[in-house]
Amino acid sequence: MKHIVILGGGYAGLLCALELRKHVSSSDAEITLINKHSYHQLITQLHETAVGARSDRSLRLSLSKLLDGKHVEIVKGTVSAITPDGHAVELQDGRTITYDKLVVALGSETEYFGIAGMKEHAFTLKSVNQARLIRAHIESCFARYLYERDPALLRFVVGGAGFSGIELVGELADALPQFAREAGVTMDQVELYNIEAAPGILPGFDQDLVDAAQHSLTSRGVRFMTGAAIVQVEPGRVTVKTGQVVETHTVIWTGGVRGNQLVVDAGFETEPRGRAKVNAYLQSVSHPDVYIIGDACFVMGEEGRPLPPTAQLAWQMGIASGKNITNELRGVALEPFKPNILGSLASLGRKDAVGKVLKSYKMYGKMAYMAKEASQMRYLAKIGAMFHSN
Ligand code: NAD
């Protein structure tokens, strides 16, 4: 019997396991899913948990419940190395797991661009645990302010104004007044900065959507610093290229992502930002017996631009790789991956968003927010988690 091993229980890995079990019975193949945690994380909603607008429990869905009855062995463990030539995966706890077919769906890592002190002193928002840390830190800043009266405690900085940064800034703009009320401080003592290296926020997005986002956020007190690359983060301050310094005890870095280092270390052919080069079937170009999907891979879109590392493409790649492994087991031709970009919507806090759906239909405000919520519902329905309880 073949042994299919999937690394990562995020959007891509989970959908791959679910798709495989639609076509491949447990007598034809054993499937093992290896994940660092016992739960799947809804990382597209982390900005809400980081400010306390959504409970962290609601973003953690038990993998054993999602895969109940699917005959998928779930191994809780952290992958420490992949040896594609030996068809083996090593875990941090010393276990070695061998495979016939491997799917690497290990996601991305934060890109620090070598910025001095960023890794050491800034928060990142890539997991539920990090979101919890940010929330607790914000609370502690307000609590400390009551005793220390240091204005930098109430000055919050988000580095990067891509989709992740803007969504977080939107949530913070809505949530900080509540933190302030609870601490008994007035909002004129609280400052929220978004610092972006590019000349404007949401680089590359349609200008009218950018303008709407900027207007909405500015009206809620967000201070944008654009054309201002962060060059250094130290305890208590952040410095930008122009020499300007912002004194703060809170920097949350959303300045970009890169591929997973394990993929680079395993010797898979990668592009300069560590994402694996894959063929039309999502197999590694250097090791075609391994599928590499989701944020961990690099796929060129039809318009000659790399596909963005988004959740919707990760699910689609999970499904496509599940189908192609099935095809391989059945000895039929593989199907090229055809991305279907349904839209891009950036939330701007509670009940506001901007974006584009169906290629060019632009949405704003509450409608856009509801469209984003609907896509989240669709995803939960797809993975069978609509009525999931932890
Ligand atoms: P990103 O790379 O899209 O944006 C990072 C931003 O940080 C850029 O605007 C960049 O100019 C800026 N930056 C880089 N270095 C800087 C510096 N030194 N100082 C200040 N600013 C700096 O990263 P992201 O926002 O994490 O998004 C990653 C991917 O995930 C993207 O493809 C994005 O579209 C996608 N995403 C989508 C959604 C959504 O669909 N709602 C939400 C989050 C992320």
Side-chain angles (χ1 to χ4, degrees):
M1 191 173 7
K2 297 283 186 206
H3 185 201
I4 303 165
V5 172
I6 301 169
L7 306 184
Y11 296 109
L14 175 64
L15 267 292
C16 178
L18 289 169
E19 185 65 25
L20 272 168
R21 271 297 178 243
K22 282 189 195 161
H23 314 287
V24 179
S25 75
S26 54
S27 53
D28 288 334
E30 201 184 323
I31 302 177
T32 301
L33 184 134
I34 304 175
N35 196 48
K36 203 186 271 186
H37 305 289
S38 58
Y39 50 86
H40 171 70
Q41 308 188 55
L42 300 174
I43 60 168
T44 55
Q45 312 304 122
L46 287 175
H47 48 280
E48 297 176 10
T49 295
V51 304
R54 193 187 285 259
S55 80
D56 51 289
R57 287 187 72 222
S58 67
L59 299 197
R60 286 192 295 218
L61 307 181
S62 151
L63 281 168
S64 58
K65 284 191 185 165
L66 293 172
L67 293 166
D68 187 31
K70 308 279 185 207
H71 303 283
V72 173
E73 191 191 351
I74 299 162
V75 172
K76 183 168 173 274
T78 302
V79 178
S80 57
I82 307 167
T83 42
D85 295 333
H87 277 213
V89 173
E90 282 159 40
L91 304 188
Q92 254 171 22
D93 60 15
R95 282 178 286 178
T96 298
I97 295 177
T98 57
Y99 61 82
D100 298 299
K101 283 269 156 240
L102 183 67
V103 180
V104 179
L106 288 166
S108 56
E109 293 180 357
T110 300
E111 174 66 275
Y112 292 100
F113 299 111
I115 299 167
M118 185 65 86
K119 194 170 182 178
E120 295 77 10
H121 305 301
F123 291 93
T124 51
L125 186 55
K126 287 192 66 68
S127 68
V128 175
N129 285 337
Q130 289 172 350
R132 293 173 68 195
L133 268 184
I134 291 171
R135 192 210 157 149
H137 172 81
I138 295 172
E139 248 163 12
S140 82
C141 284
F142 278 94
R144 278 176 59 195
Y145 180 76
L146 300 180
Y147 295 95
E148 299 173 28
R149 295 286 159 188
D150 172 4
L153 281 164
L154 298 188
R155 194 171 291 126
F156 301 91
V157 171
V158 174
F163 269 53
S164 303
I166 287 297
E167 291 196 324
L168 176 61
V169 166
E171 288 298 328
L172 282 165
D174 282 357
L176 287 175
Q178 173 77 17
F179 282 101
R181 256 193 313 277
E182 283 168 10
V185 302
T186 53
M187 269 308 280
D188 56 3
Q189 293 161 286
V190 180
E191 293 171 25
L192 172 56
Y193 283 86
N194 189 193
I195 304 182
E196 165 60 48
I201 65 167
L202 294 170
F205 215 36
D206 299 41
Q207 195 55 45
D208 44 351
L209 297 172
V210 171
D211 291 344
Q214 181 138 3
H215 179 261
S216 164
L217 294 168
T218 309
S219 71
R220 279 179 278 149
V222 178
R223 299 162 193 231
F224 289 105
M225 284 170 65
T226 51
I230 296 175
V231 291
Q232 188 170 29
V233 183
E234 297 161 275
R237 54 197 250 143
V238 60
T239 307
V240 302
K241 206 172 170 184
T242 54
Q244 214 173 333
V245 171
V246 179
E247 293 191 350
T248 177
H249 295 284
T250 311
V251 178
I252 308 171
W253 176 238
T254 65
V257 294
R258 55 177 292 109
N260 196 297
Q261 190 58 34
L262 284 168
V263 171
V264 179
D265 295 344
F268 295 113
E269 193 175 330
T270 53
E271 47 85 71
R273 277 177 83 168
R275 290 175 296 173
K277 293 186 180 172
V278 292
N279 63 22
Y281 313 114
L282 302 176
Q283 298 162 316
S284 156
V285 292
S286 54
H287 297 77
D289 55 335
V290 178
Y291 288 79
I292 307 185
I293 60 175
D295 287 8
C297 77
F298 176 86
V299 176
M300 201 50 95
E302 270 177 3
E303 289 139 20
R305 279 195 294 176
L307 292 181
T310 62
Q312 61 172 306
L313 288 170
W315 330 331
Q316 292 174 21
M317 289 186 201
I319 294 169
S321 59
K323 283 191 178 137
N324 270 342
I325 295 173
T326 308
N327 290 343
E328 277 195 83
L329 295 176
R330 291 180 180 163
V332 301
L334 302 188
E335 292 166 32
F337 171 63
K338 290 202 179 70
N340 180 16
I341 299 181
L342 303 169
S344 320
L345 289 158
S347 66
L348 303 171
R350 313 282 73 214
K351 318 255 174 278
D352 194 7
V354 287
K356 254 189 325 195
V357 292
L358 307 173
K359 293 220 185 293
S360 58
Y361 182 71
K362 290 178 182 167
M363 295 183 92
Y364 303 84
K366 203 164 179 179
M367 280 292 284
Y369 183 81
M370 282 160 61
K372 191 154 193 283
E373 287 287 287
S375 82
Q376 172 72 0
M377 290 297 164
R378 260 200 319 277
Y379 176 69
L380 292 177
K382 192 169 202 59
I383 62 171
M386 283 299 268
F387 304 105
H388 186 104
S389 65
N390 287 305

